[in-house]
Amino acid sequence: MANYEPPVTDYESIVENCTCAFCGCNCDDLDYLIKDGHVVGVRHACRLGASKIMEDMDQRLLVPMIRGEDGELAETDWDSALDKAAELIAGAVRPIFYGWSETSIETMHHGLELGELVGAVLDNQATICHGPSLQAVQNAGYPISTLGEVKNRADMCLYTGSNAMNSHPRHMARYSTFPRGYFRPRGRFDRTVVTLDPKYSDTAKMSDIWVGFEQNGDYEFYNAIRAVLKGKKLQKEFISGIPKEDVEELAEAMKNVQFGALFFGLGLTHTLSKQRNIDIAIQMVADLNSYTKWILMPMRGHFNVNGFNIFMAFETGFPYGVDFARGYQRYMNGETNTIDLLTRKECDVFMVIAADPGAHYPGGAVKHLAEIPVIQVDIHWGPSTEIADVVLPGSFVGVEVGGTSYRMDGVPIWMKKAIDKPETCRDDEWIIKEILERVKKIKAEQGALASK
Amino acid sequence: MTYVDKPAIPKVVKFDEPNAKLRNKLDVMLNTGSDIYQGACKKRGSTLKDEYRKVAGVAYMDPKDMAKLGVSNWDHVKVISDWGEVVVNAAHSRDAPHEGTIFIPKGPWANVVVSPETYCCCDPTYKGIMCTVEKSDDDVLLMADLMRAVYKKYVNKDDEEGIKDLATLGEMPVYKKL
């Protein structure tokens, strides 16, 4: 046991029932062990959640910074940094406000007002992960349930294009596979776990059935299952590299459960058929519902990525990529989404809030960020800081400040505050509100000048 | 920190197929995506450090592919696609066998070679990129150096050689204090 780490016993107090600020599982049973105003240990969290909450203070952004003429970031006071950010935003023709998925709904509220005022595009991480899923939901419907229902009822859990053990480590433990539910008293033994993935992933390794079809074979494979469900005979011997007998056997197994849950991840949205993969998966779930109960759920990545989509859909009617350039909201895939705007070099000021485009955008999109001013509101020094011109240190939602977030199944959860933030940092909500006030002031001055 | 330590990767580089030949270049398909080590390191915020380079600047390859190229664990390989080229470490994949496919966890290194093409569906194509892999003697850059070398935002864009000779930005934040 070379890697064994003894439990943390050196702490002053415990804050119980905190909500994890990592993935869309939003586990709300974490206990933080606090010493000297820092979280020194986390109970119940997965490796990812614990590593995020017990952050690396070496790279914590602590002071506002502005990039000087010499290309180096220099510390400054809050007023100058906020004025600089407001000046850039007020002078922008086609600004994008991107991010929002790791901050609270309360912050988004002010961000939306700011976006409407200056005619910005508001977009979140869905644009590079589950955007196609949202399009498919608009195309084909959204047969969803809560995770509690999955826990209590599901006897088949199917993961497709998702490596839950790596990206949502507690999903199987807390919601789908292992927990004992009302109708599944024996937990794991009462459920069948199926993984559909070209890769023999860590999730596949612990499943009962692994179907390793070809890369980009998703669309054909689901269609084959649909055909079998409709009583058709498969004409080909192999479907996406899988023998047709196996496809028929899987379809039969899926038909004969009491409650099935299909969880899908970025394996579907990042391959070539994009939203069509999910269209067909949703239709497959619809077909399965003529035999038994099946539901489908996207495995959302950040703790509030679903929150932004729900918030924007409620406020503007569109889930992400909402463009206010004409003064009213527009949404057009391929036109008002961040990656397309950047590769077409349309954007002229980019504000990133609680996200890291430097780490997660394709190089072709980051190249344009290297040509325009970038404002960053975040808690850690990351790849985006390397290309940022104004840096505003925010605070850690769910640890240092409270806020509302939405779990992947759409259940809103209040994330409470456990410790105080570093003195020199500010809340995200305060930062966006301040920028809004300052932009309003600049606009009012411009208006007064114009009317003279 | 035990939260980001990687388990030892078995050193399996045996060239045991009688008919296979050592080659300089390999045509493979690249997949990117999240990985628990990369995720833990990124969200902790340790992106400047060597540990992030170890978990995100790495191409997980099938051991047979590694044998064909003649590389062992932590040797450097250059991945070249239509969109760019990047030097990463090679490591034996724990999901093998998957001959002809490599996996680079999402991060600044993978971004250089993935396709920004969205086909009007908002989402770039992060998976299924055709690329070539070859052995390389160049170093795998630290995150800050990589961002500077690839995007050249605050350096002279035309001076390729000069950028290579610049001092490394290191593993800690660099900024002027008040």
Side-chain angles (χ1 to χ4, degrees):
Chain A
M1 293 290 278
N3 285 329
Y4 175 73
E5 192 188 20
V8 179
T9 49
D10 182 21
Y11 58 89
E12 289 159 0
S13 59
I14 301 184
V15 184
E16 287 183 337
N17 301 325
C18 297
T19 306
C20 181
F22 189 90
C23 75
C25 292
N26 294 41
C27 303
D28 48 2
D29 59 345
L30 308 193
D31 296 344
Y32 297 167
L33 311 180
I34 316 274
K35 192 191 176 189
D36 300 332
H38 286 284
V39 182
V40 292
V42 185
R43 285 187 185 150
H44 307 155
C46 65
R47 182 182 195 142
L48 295 173
S51 76
K52 182 165 184 196
I53 291 153
M54 293 159 66
E55 55 184 324
D56 183 353
M57 285 308 281
D58 285 353
Q59 281 183 234
R60 181 69 194 248
L61 292 170
L62 291 169
V63 289
M65 291 179 282
I66 297 180
R67 183 90 56 175
E69 289 293 320
D70 55 355
E72 247 187 272
L73 281 171
E75 183 182 342
T76 180
D77 55 284
W78 271 100
D79 261 330
S80 328
L82 287 166
D83 279 339
K84 176 84 182 163
E87 188 190 312
L88 285 170
I89 290 169
V93 178
R94 194 107 171 96
I96 298 180
F97 301 159
Y98 168 84
W100 311 103
S101 299
E102 300 202 320
T103 187
S104 58
I105 299 285
E106 291 78 1
T107 310
M108 295 171 198
H109 180 82
H110 299 293
L112 179 60
E113 196 181 340
L114 178 61
E116 217 175 330
L117 177 69
V118 299
V121 175
L122 273 85
D123 209 351
N124 81 328
Q125 278 93 328
T127 206
I128 54 164
C129 36
H130 270 293
S133 315
L134 298 165
Q135 294 164 40
V137 163
Q138 290 163 343
N139 288 346
Y142 198 17
I144 197 175
S145 78
T146 60
L147 286 165
E149 231 179 310
V150 174
K151 173 187 160 189
N152 284 322
R153 293 169 193 273
D155 57 347
M156 182 180 268
C157 301
L158 194 147
Y159 289 88
T160 171
S162 164
N163 187 358
M165 286 313 290
N166 270 226
S167 50
H168 304 78
R170 281 189 88 205
H171 191 270
M172 294 174 98
R174 194 170 138 86
Y175 300 115
S176 72
T177 306
F178 293 100
R180 295 172 194 177
Y182 190 85
F183 296 105
R184 305 288 162 229
R186 296 186 303 143
R188 176 70 176 89
F189 307 107
D190 284 340
R191 307 180 205 264
T192 312
V193 181
V194 185
T195 302
L196 311 181
D197 202 324
K199 185 169 130 169
Y200 186 47
S201 62
D202 294 336
T203 312
K205 282 168 201 151
M206 57 193 300
S207 305
D208 301 307
I209 303 168
W210 170 53
V211 183
F213 51 63
E214 291 168 352
Q215 184 91 19
N216 293 329
D218 322 52
Y219 189 81
E220 189 184 359
F221 189 80
Y222 302 133
N223 260 322
I225 291 188
R226 287 191 69 201
V228 175
L229 289 174
K230 286 181 189 289
K232 301 272 195 296
K233 256 193 111 51
L234 295 177
Q235 306 288 318
K236 279 167 76 182
E237 286 304 309
F238 289 92
I239 313 291
S240 302
I242 304 295
K244 73 172 180 190
E245 292 76 22
D246 291 3
V247 178
E248 284 159 3
E249 198 187 317
L250 179 66
E252 197 58 32
M254 288 164 80
K255 229 159 74 172
N256 290 324
V257 297
Q258 289 176 337
F259 187 110
L262 185 150
F263 300 100
F264 67 96
L266 301 185
L268 269 66
T269 67
H270 282 171
T271 43
L272 281 179
S273 327
K274 300 191 192 277
Q275 89 272 29
R276 297 297 171 208
N277 281 332
I278 301 140
D279 276 2
I280 213 74
I282 294 173
Q283 284 168 28
M284 180 178 81
V285 167
D287 291 345
L288 280 164
N289 270 289
S290 16
Y291 298 98
T292 182
K293 175 75 182 165
W294 268 80
I295 64 109
L296 160 144
M297 198 181 298
M299 298 284 279
R300 305 309 299 268
H302 303 274
F303 67 89
N304 210 6
V305 63
N306 201 11
F308 181 84
N309 300 137
I310 290 175
F311 168 79
M312 288 304 274
F314 179 77
E315 290 281 346
T316 70
F318 304 120
Y320 68 105
V322 184
D323 181 4
F324 283 100
R326 295 186 187 169
Y328 54 90
Q329 64 272 36
R330 283 167 70 242
Y331 160 78
M332 173 60 95
N333 279 301
E335 201 181 304
T336 64
N337 303 109
T338 311
I339 299 296
D340 296 286
L341 287 166
L342 290 176
T343 47
R344 286 201 310 267
K345 301 187 181 299
E346 264 185 44
C347 168
D348 64 345
V349 170
F350 191 86
M351 178 159 78
V352 44
I353 304 102
D356 209 334
H360 301 143
Y361 279 4
V366 186
K367 271 178 193 140
H368 184 58
L369 291 181
E371 290 165 14
I372 57 170
V374 175
I375 304 161
Q376 187 193 22
V377 183
D378 208 343
I379 55 173
H380 287 122
W381 186 294
S384 300
T385 318
E386 298 295 332
I387 49 168
D389 298 275
V390 181
V391 180
L392 304 166
S395 52
F396 198 153
V397 177
V399 178
E400 296 164 2
V401 61
T404 313
S405 64
Y406 281 75
R407 203 164 70 181
M408 63 167 74
D409 55 354
V411 173
I413 290 174
W414 171 254
M415 306 175 74
K416 68 179 176 189
K417 173 185 162 165
I419 57 173
D420 288 326
K421 60 176 179 289
E423 262 174 44
T424 45
C425 295
R426 297 284 187 273
D427 293 345
D428 295 356
E429 195 183 339
W430 181 89
I431 294 171
I432 303 298
K433 215 162 102 184
E434 275 297 310
I435 294 177
L436 173 64
E437 293 305 321
R438 282 160 210 251
V439 171
K440 270 185 187 165
K441 219 171 121 194
I442 296 172
K443 292 270 175 194
E445 279 164 16
Q446 284 170 349
L449 272 179
S451 62
K452 274 179 196 170
Chain B
M1 267 308 275
T2 45
Y3 287 104
V4 288
D5 275 354
K6 284 173 69 68
I9 297 171
K11 211 169 170 65
V12 184
V13 182
K14 267 255 165 68
F15 199 52
D16 53 8
E17 297 162 75
N19 299 323
K21 277 195 204 114
L22 198 67
R23 54 202 90 171
N24 300 328
K25 211 183 239 184
L26 216 55
D27 288 317
V28 291
M29 183 188 267
L30 164 71
N31 280 331
T32 72
S34 56
D35 169 81
I36 193 160
Y37 306 108
Q38 165 268 332
C41 193
K42 169 79 185 68
K43 292 295 164 160
R44 240 184 110 216
S46 309
T47 44
L48 287 168
K49 298 182 176 163
D50 182 42
E51 60 196 54
Y52 188 52
R53 171 168 66 175
K54 281 218 176 82
V55 295
V58 56
Y60 291 108
M61 298 174 68
D62 188 287
K64 283 188 180 159
D65 283 343
M66 290 174 70
K68 281 180 210 161
L69 270 184
V71 293
S72 48
N73 281 328
W74 307 113
D75 277 358
H76 302 166
V77 290
K78 189 185 265 181
V79 181
I80 305 166
S81 76
D82 289 352
W83 292 275
E85 54 179 66
V86 67
V87 179
V88 290
N89 297 303
H92 174 198
S93 166
R94 61 182 190 281
D95 301 328
H98 50 70
E99 242 179 302
T101 307
I102 64 168
F103 181 82
I104 306 183
K106 66 179 175 192
W109 291 269
N111 288 344
V112 181
V113 285
V114 298
S115 158
E117 184 56 70
T118 67
Y119 305 102
C120 265
C121 296
C122 83
D123 214 341
T125 310
Y126 287 106
K127 292 177 167 64
I129 314 283
M130 299 316 288
C131 62
T132 61
V133 186
E134 58 189 55
K135 206 172 168 175
S136 170
D137 296 327
D138 296 345
D139 282 335
V140 183
L141 296 177
L142 281 169
M143 184 278 281
D145 297 336
L146 180 88
M147 296 301 283
R148 181 174 66 184
V150 175
Y151 304 112
K152 307 185 185 78
K153 188 163 182 179
Y154 306 107
V155 288
N156 184 0
K157 281 193 177 52
D158 307 319
D159 188 11
E160 288 277 348
E161 287 303 309
I163 294 171
K164 272 186 196 157
D165 297 336
L166 288 173
T168 171
L169 291 164
E171 300 186 34
M172 289 293 276
V174 181
Y175 65 96
K176 287 185 204 145
K177 297 199 167 79
L178 267 186

